[in-house]
Amino acid sequence: MENTEKKKQIVFSAIQPSGTITLGNYLGALRNWVKMQDNPDYNCLYALADLHTITVRQEPAAMRRNIIDAYAMVMACGVDVDKAPFFIQSHNPNHSIMAWILNCYTQFGELSRMTQFKDKSQKHADNINAGLFTYPSLMAGDILLYQADKVPVGADQKQHIELTRDVAARFNSIYGNVFKIPEGFIPKDSSRVMSLQTPTNKMSKSDENANGCIMMTDTDDVIMKKFKRAVTDSEMKVRYAEGKDGINNLMAIYAAVTGLSYEEIERDFDGKGYGDFKTAVGEAVVAEVSPIRKRYEEYIKDKKYIEECYTRSAEFAIRISSRTVDKAMKKIGFILPKKDQ
Ligand code: TYM
C-alpha cells in the first residue's frame, strides 16, 4: 500500500541564554518557533544554547540566572514542551561530541570568513579563544544531530546555516547520506530588527544606548518611551525608502506585529507626523509583549516546573540525537561499545 501520509519536516533552532531576550530575538526567531510548533506539518525541537555562551567569559551566578530566565521567557513566548521539546544544550553530551567530529571536517579558511567571529574577536580582543573560532561547528552539530529540514532564525545566522550546509554536504560526499541538508527559515519583515537609536546596527542587548533595544521584560511605559525616542529623519513622511533607516525599521516592526503591508502603513499614516506613527508602533508592540511579560513573571516563580520541562526535553533530545552520532561514528570508522538491550 502506498503511504500517502505526508512526512513531517523536522524543525530545530536554539537561542543563547546570554542576557535578557530582546524584541529582535522574538520577531526574528522565537515567533516563528511558536508558529511552526503549532503547525501540523512540522515536528519541532528547540534548545537553549548554553555551551555557545562560554565563548565569552561568563560570571557563574549570572550565567545560572540567565539560563533559567531565558528558559522561562522562551516558554512565555509560547514554546510548549508538550508540542516541542525545549532542552538545555549542555544536558545532551552529543552536542559536544558532534562539534568535535565536525571540527575535523570544517576548514580553517571557512571559519576565518565568519563575520560573527570577526565582530566578536574585535569586541573581546582580550579573549579570542579557540571556542569563539569553532563556534560554527558546534552550531552545525546542533542542527545536524536532529536531521533538521528547517531552522527558524534571524538574518544574522544565515552565514552559519550556509556553513552547516557545506559541511554536511562534504561529510555526505565522503560517507553517504548521513546528514539532512537543512534550510534557514527567515521571516520576511523582521529578519533583522535594528537598534532604535542607531538604526544601521542590529538591535542587540549589548547596545551602548539602552534606549536602542526593547527587552521582552520591559514594562509598557518603558516600551512606549523607547519608541517615542526612536531616531527618525527630517522628511516627516512615513514611507519605506533607501536612507530612511529609522523609519524603515519602525515600519518593519509595525508590519511584523500588525500583519499590515508597507503600502497599507503608508496609506494609514499619510498626512500624519512621526509622533503619531511612533505611538502606534509602541502601542502595537506593547499589545504583543505585555501578555508575554506577564506569563514570564508567572513561569519564573515556578522553578520546579521549569526543571521538569528541561529534564524531560533533554531525555528526548539525547535519544533522538544518539542515532545520528552512532551513524556518523560508524561511517567514520569508530568502533561503538556494545549497548545494553
Ligand atoms: P542568538 O542567541 O544571538 O539569537 C537568537 C535568535 O534571535 C535572532 N536575532 C535577531 N533576529 C532579528 N533581529 C535581531 N536584531 C536579532 N537578534 C537576534 C537570531 O538570528 C537567532 O535566530 N548562534 C545562535 C544560537 C544557536 C543556533 C543553533 C541557532 C546555537 N545553535 C542552532 C539555530 C540553530 C545565536 O547566537 O543566536
Side-chain angles (χ1 to χ4, degrees):
M1 203 173 71
E2 202 189 340
N3 185 1
T4 48
E5 201 182 312
K6 210 172 128 210
K7 214 168 163 246
K8 289 192 179 200
Q9 290 209 319
I10 297 170
V11 173
F12 177 85
S13 196
I15 183 168
Q16 288 197 67
S18 51
T20 317
I21 291 179
T22 70
L23 184 67
N25 295 136
Y26 177 67
L27 293 179
L30 294 173
R31 217 162 57 135
N32 274 340
W33 292 19
V34 177
K35 278 190 199 151
M36 293 172 104
Q37 146 203 291
D38 293 331
N39 182 330
D41 293 342
Y42 300 124
N43 271 333
C44 303
L45 181 73
Y46 301 123
L48 212 52
D50 59 343
L51 292 172
H52 282 85
T53 63
I54 65 163
T55 53
V56 173
R57 196 75 69 231
Q58 304 287 326
E59 200 275 303
M63 177 162 162
R64 280 189 279 273
R65 211 171 37 243
N66 283 340
I67 290 172
I68 299 300
D69 284 356
Y71 197 94
M73 182 54 89
V74 171
M75 286 175 96
C77 288
V79 168
D80 174 354
V81 294
D82 288 324
K83 296 179 186 163
F86 173 45
F87 65 99
I88 299 179
Q89 186 189 28
S90 62
H91 294 181
N92 179 359
N94 289 331
H95 288 259
S96 305
I97 298 172
M98 191 52 86
W100 172 251
I101 292 175
L102 295 180
N103 266 336
C104 302
Y105 295 84
T106 307
Q107 299 302 304
F108 184 90
E110 290 177 305
L111 293 172
S112 312
R113 285 192 289 277
M114 294 293 113
T115 53
Q116 185 173 301
F117 171 68
K118 292 186 208 160
D119 290 350
K120 285 212 172 169
S121 43
Q122 249 180 17
K123 233 165 135 188
H124 304 279
D126 57 337
N127 183 22
I128 307 177
N129 59 73
L132 197 61
F133 188 64
T134 60
Y135 177 115
S137 309
L138 178 60
M139 176 163 162
D142 297 343
I143 299 167
L144 300 178
L145 276 173
Y146 302 97
Q147 307 289 347
D149 296 276
K150 293 222 158 68
V151 186
V153 284
D156 62 338
Q157 297 301 317
K158 225 169 160 177
Q159 202 186 22
H160 290 155
I161 308 263
E162 284 305 316
L163 180 70
T164 303
R165 291 167 58 87
D166 291 347
V167 172
R170 179 174 308 138
F171 194 97
N172 287 352
S173 75
I174 306 171
Y175 301 111
N177 267 343
V178 175
F179 299 125
K180 181 94 62 69
I181 309 290
E183 268 174 37
F185 188 89
I186 297 176
K188 186 167 66 69
D189 294 316
S190 52
S191 66
R192 199 171 164 80
V193 178
M194 308 306 274
S195 161
L196 301 182
Q197 289 297 315
T198 325
T200 43
N201 293 346
K202 191 181 78 168
M203 180 181 282
S204 139
K205 51 208 149 212
S206 56
D207 199 322
E208 278 164 23
N209 185 337
N211 286 322
C213 181
I214 304 284
M215 307 291 185
M216 295 299 287
T217 47
D218 281 346
T219 62
D220 299 353
D221 279 356
V222 168
I223 294 174
M224 288 308 293
K225 264 190 210 128
K226 287 182 180 176
F227 276 105
K228 282 185 182 155
R229 285 182 194 151
V231 165
T232 50
D233 54 67
S234 55
E235 192 195 39
M236 298 306 285
K237 191 166 167 56
V238 178
R239 65 183 187 102
Y240 198 95
E242 217 181 291
K244 287 171 68 75
D245 301 315
I247 286 294
N248 293 349
N249 187 37
L250 293 177
M251 285 179 75
I253 294 171
Y254 195 59
V257 290
T258 60
L260 292 170
S261 68
Y262 290 162
E263 293 73 36
E264 287 167 321
I265 298 172
E266 286 172 2
R267 210 175 318 126
D268 290 352
F269 288 91
D270 190 27
K272 295 190 184 146
Y274 285 166
D276 287 344
F277 183 51
K278 288 184 191 180
T279 303
V281 182
E283 282 170 355
V285 169
V286 164
E288 183 96 12
V289 171
S290 196
I292 295 175
R293 187 184 62 245
K294 286 175 189 143
R295 280 198 296 272
Y296 164 79
E297 282 159 7
E298 289 308 308
Y299 281 129
I300 198 66
K301 285 190 221 148
D302 198 348
K303 304 280 189 314
K304 269 237 128 15
Y305 180 60
I306 292 177
E307 188 182 54
E308 184 202 311
C309 290
Y310 64 63
T311 304
R312 183 151 52 99
S313 298
E315 283 162 16
F316 179 82
I318 291 169
R319 186 154 46 81
I320 301 295
S321 57
S322 293
R323 295 182 205 149
T324 305
V325 172
D326 285 0
K327 188 170 176 190
M329 289 183 77
K330 271 196 216 155
K331 292 276 189 184
I332 293 169
F334 288 103
I335 297 168
L336 302 186
K338 192 164 184 284
K339 291 219 159 102
D340 309 332
Q341 280 329 315

